[in-house]
Amino acid sequence: MPMSRGLPHSWEVAEMGHSSDFLSLPQGGPEGVQGHLALSLSLMDFEIQAQQSSMAPYHIRKYRENDRTRVLDVFSQGMNEHIPTTFCHILKLPRTLVLLLGVPLTLFLFSGSWVLALIASLILLAALRFLSRYPWTKFIAMSLRTDMSDITKTYLGKPGSCFWVVEAEGQVVGIMGVLPATLQKEKLQLLHLCVAPEHRGQGIAKALVRTALQFARDQGYSQVILITSMVQHSAWALYQHMGFQKTHQFFSSMICRLVAIPTVGFVYHLPSAGASEAQGLGGGP
């Protein structure tokens, strides 16, 4: 996606009809009124185009090796930010409430010490905090050992796969990779979709997903698949809004089962080449 550059704000205000000259009433009868309206509409169109161009000051390109440090920072930050959400999820589980209330109360009844009960509560909270961190730190470590250990080799070394970065103001602010699904070569798997927090709300994640879908069409894949977790609420909303359908869920580890955080699979069905051609022939002008 080419970078769109907006005009400097001060220049836009000066040129888009906000001076007293443009606000004064036209002279010269109907012809003057028509000319003024035409000029006003032209300025309005120009302003809209400038605003649209300034809304997307980023562009998507393929990964380069000098992006690695920033890519890993965006990836790690994106995963670690789910830890507080996971912690809150764990605290709301009925079994957690029973544990947090039952253990300190039992200790108090047997020992009569509120201090001991308080220490037990703090130890339990620390253990729950560790449980909330464990799945994410494990996933980061696993990714750095496997596909993200050499991004160029994994994603750009063979056809049918790719890794993109989103660049804004000379800095990588978003990432995403795609690989052929294991043992299912007709499916393309979307991986590591992350956007830096300060650049969210600009449509970057949608643009990345659209890039992946277009890549899948061009490469002849029939489906785009991905997995995410139950606590990644914004990801769920994005994928469902863009037409992905939930297929299955499972627990990736005993820890995830213990804290009731399943991994969820999604799929996007791409039309076949024949179906696309038939739709195009029957679509009319």
Side-chain angles (χ1 to χ4, degrees):
M1 177 183 296
M3 179 178 288
S4 299
R5 298 185 181 272
L7 298 170
H9 179 68
S10 59
W11 192 91
E12 290 179 69
V13 172
E15 295 295 323
M16 290 178 188
H18 291 276
S19 67
S20 59
D21 291 335
F22 288 119
L23 292 176
S24 61
L25 292 175
Q27 303 295 325
E31 293 81 2
V33 173
Q34 291 177 356
H36 181 78
L37 289 175
L39 178 60
S40 299
L41 289 174
S42 298
L43 290 171
M44 185 180 298
D45 292 339
F46 182 76
E47 183 175 6
I48 291 172
Q49 292 174 3
Q51 289 175 346
Q52 288 176 342
S53 66
S54 65
M55 288 175 62
Y58 62 85
H59 73 282
I60 299 173
R61 60 171 174 81
K62 287 186 179 181
Y63 169 86
R64 295 194 290 257
E65 199 57 42
N66 59 359
D67 298 323
R68 178 172 176 79
T69 300
R70 180 57 184 166
V71 164
L72 296 184
D73 287 344
V74 172
F75 170 63
S76 298
Q77 183 181 20
M79 295 300 100
N80 284 325
E81 72 176 12
H82 298 303
I83 293 174
T85 306
T86 305
F87 185 58
C88 291
H89 167 79
I90 294 174
L91 290 179
K92 294 176 183 178
L93 294 174
R95 70 190 74 168
T96 303
L97 297 176
V98 171
L99 185 68
L100 289 174
L101 293 175
V103 171
L105 182 59
T106 301
L107 285 174
F108 173 74
L109 292 176
F110 278 93
S111 66
S113 172
W114 283 109
V115 175
L116 185 60
L118 178 60
I119 292 174
S121 298
L122 294 176
I123 292 174
L124 287 173
L125 287 173
L128 294 174
R129 182 68 176 179
F130 171 79
L131 285 177
S132 66
R133 291 179 58 87
Y134 179 78
W136 304 108
T137 55
K138 180 182 178 183
F139 178 70
I140 293 172
M142 181 188 69
S143 298
L144 295 180
R145 289 196 310 267
T146 54
D147 62 302
M148 297 194 75
S149 63
D150 189 338
I151 296 174
T152 300
K153 180 180 178 181
T154 303
Y155 290 92
L156 302 177
K158 49 190 174 182
S161 58
C162 196
F163 198 98
W164 296 276
V165 301
V166 181
E167 188 175 23
E169 301 176 352
Q171 187 178 38
V172 172
V173 300
I175 63 171
M176 182 189 65
V178 289
L179 287 173
T182 306
L183 303 178
Q184 296 176 310
K185 298 303 181 182
E186 76 282 359
K187 299 180 181 180
L188 184 69
Q189 185 172 8
L190 190 153
L191 297 156
H192 307 315
L193 175 60
C194 297
V195 178
E198 63 272 18
H199 289 272
R200 291 173 188 167
Q202 302 178 34
I204 292 177
K206 286 183 180 179
L208 281 169
V209 174
R210 291 192 187 103
T211 299
L213 295 178
Q214 186 59 52
F215 178 84
R217 292 187 186 97
D218 295 341
Q219 295 290 319
Y221 289 99
S222 62
Q223 297 177 13
V224 176
I225 62 173
L226 61 92
I227 57 173
T228 187
S229 74
M230 189 187 71
V231 297
Q232 292 172 271
H233 307 300
S234 58
W236 271 56
L238 171 67
Y239 298 137
Q240 291 179 327
H241 176 74
M242 298 194 70
F244 284 80
Q245 299 174 349
K246 179 182 173 182
T247 56
H248 64 290
Q249 67 180 42
F250 62 95
F251 293 103
S252 59
S253 67
M254 288 301 298
I255 295 292
C256 290
R257 183 181 294 275
L258 178 65
V259 297
I261 299 179
T263 297
V264 184
F266 285 89
V267 62
Y268 186 98
H269 296 279
L270 294 164
S272 63
S276 298
E277 291 177 2
Q279 185 177 5
L281 291 174

